[in-house]
Structure formats: structure tokens, C-alpha cells
Amino acid sequence: TARSLQGEFSTALDKDAGFPETIISLDLRDMDILEAVKFIAEKTGLNIIPTKAVSGRVSLTVKNVSVKDVFDIILRSNNLAYEKRGNIYNIMTEAEYKTYYGRNFYDARVLKVFRLQYAVPEQVLSLMQSMKSDVGKLLVDAESGVLMVMDTPDRVKTMAETNAAMEHKSVVKVFNLKY
């Protein structure tokens, strides 16, 4: 099998994600994933520890891409996940991650709870059902006026905007009519 590895690196710390703001160019051809991760760790200063179950091969060519994106591509293409504790990235299989945390690593869904004050819960639920994605879930408690939404962030945002438009106090005015 042909294997090659080339790289250019420039590093500055990214405080938000914990990944260095490193721009890299790589040419990996049929390389063992453990070797590829070790190379990235050495060049970027990341502490990366894989579990015993991590295996696979990686082939990719990238130019001027962030180390976070490369890390993500390598993991996704091999059905791997990671957990960050302190300064250590523990790489594991997707199955191991699901066993530890009860959900898939790449599950991008978010949960939002709406406490309805004025809108009719069943009407809001009906409307939200038509807005949710295929992976979305909705639960309503009509008695307490609570609607729970689990879906992708963009869908939840749209549902929140729709709920805000529906959630207004109805004003009832009584007029005395004289015939």
C-alpha cells in the first residue's frame, strides 16, 4: 500500500473550541488512522489518546484547512467520536460513545422547552408537527401548557420564532349595544 504524509503548520490558540487555530495542508494516502492522529497530535500539540477499539485507514488531501476540520473529517469517515477532558482528546468508536453517553456523537439535535401562556397547546403542536424535521420529536402537556421540542438547531429556531408570533394575549372587549 502506498502511504505518504506531508504537512505545513502555523499555530495560535483558539480559546472557544480548545483546538489550536492551526491551518494545515496534508496528503494522507491509505494511512493507519492511529498514525495519522499521532502525526496531527505531534504537529499541533494536541493530546490525543485513542481507545483500543479505534482502527481504520484514512486517505485525504487538504490544503489550508483548520485542524478542527481535518480532525472532524478523519473521525467522521471512520465512524469515530471524541470526548475532551481537560486538555486530552479521547478518541473512541461511535458505538463506545453511544454506550457511555446514550446518544450518537454526531446527533446535532437540541432540546427547547416552550411554556405556553396564551396559545392553545394542541394548535401549537399541530403547527410544529408540520415544521419539524425527520429526526425531530415533539411532546406536549396540554394541562400545564408545556411543549418540548427536540430537533436540529435551525428547525428549533424557526419553531421558536413561530411560537413567539402565536404567543400573544387575546384581548376581549365588551360593548354595550343600544338598539
Side-chain angles (χ1 to χ4, degrees):
T1 59
R3 297 186 312 188
S4 75
L5 181 61
Q6 303 168 354
E8 302 167 14
F9 298 85
S10 62
T11 305
L13 186 61
D14 176 1
K15 296 177 186 99
D16 295 331
F19 277 90
E21 282 184 15
T22 304
I23 302 301
I24 60 176
S25 296
L26 291 174
D27 183 17
L28 307 177
R29 295 188 188 156
D30 197 34
M31 178 176 262
D32 182 80
I33 193 157
L34 297 174
E35 291 178 34
V37 168
K38 182 179 176 184
F39 177 78
I40 291 171
E42 288 174 359
K43 296 298 181 182
T44 61
L46 292 174
N47 298 309
I48 302 173
I49 301 172
T51 64
K52 289 181 181 181
V54 172
S55 65
R57 304 207 63 82
V58 63
S59 294
L60 75 109
T61 302
V62 294
K63 291 185 180 184
N64 300 322
V65 179
S66 74
V67 71
K68 169 87 170 96
D69 291 342
V70 171
F71 194 70
D72 189 51
I73 290 166
I74 290 172
L75 296 184
R76 279 181 190 256
S77 65
N78 284 280
N79 294 319
L80 299 173
Y82 74 90
E83 170 199 34
K84 182 178 185 236
R85 285 197 182 181
N87 289 331
I88 298 173
Y89 293 87
N90 184 19
I91 299 177
M92 63 194 78
T93 65
E94 179 78 26
E96 287 176 314
Y97 188 89
K98 190 169 186 173
T99 299
Y100 296 143
Y101 299 104
R103 67 177 186 89
N104 291 328
F105 180 73
Y106 292 105
D107 185 354
R109 294 180 297 178
V110 295
L111 177 68
K112 179 143 178 91
V113 176
F114 297 100
R115 297 190 191 288
L116 306 175
Q117 292 180 336
Y118 305 112
V120 178
E122 290 83 5
Q123 291 175 347
V124 175
L125 176 65
S126 177
L127 180 60
M128 299 295 183
Q129 288 283 8
S130 67
M131 299 173 72
K132 75 177 187 65
S133 71
D134 291 341
V135 298
K137 305 276 187 222
L138 301 171
L139 294 171
V140 68
D141 180 14
E143 207 171 290
S144 65
V146 172
L147 175 68
M148 292 192 322
V149 176
M150 181 187 292
D151 211 334
T152 60
D154 60 322
R155 295 288 176 110
V156 170
K157 181 181 177 197
T158 303
M159 289 182 204
E161 292 166 355
T162 302
N163 181 60
M166 294 179 71
E167 192 64 15
H168 55 82
K169 188 173 184 176
S170 298
V171 177
V172 178
K173 292 185 179 183
V174 177
F175 297 95
N176 288 326
L177 301 175
K178 295 180 183 180
Y179 295 91

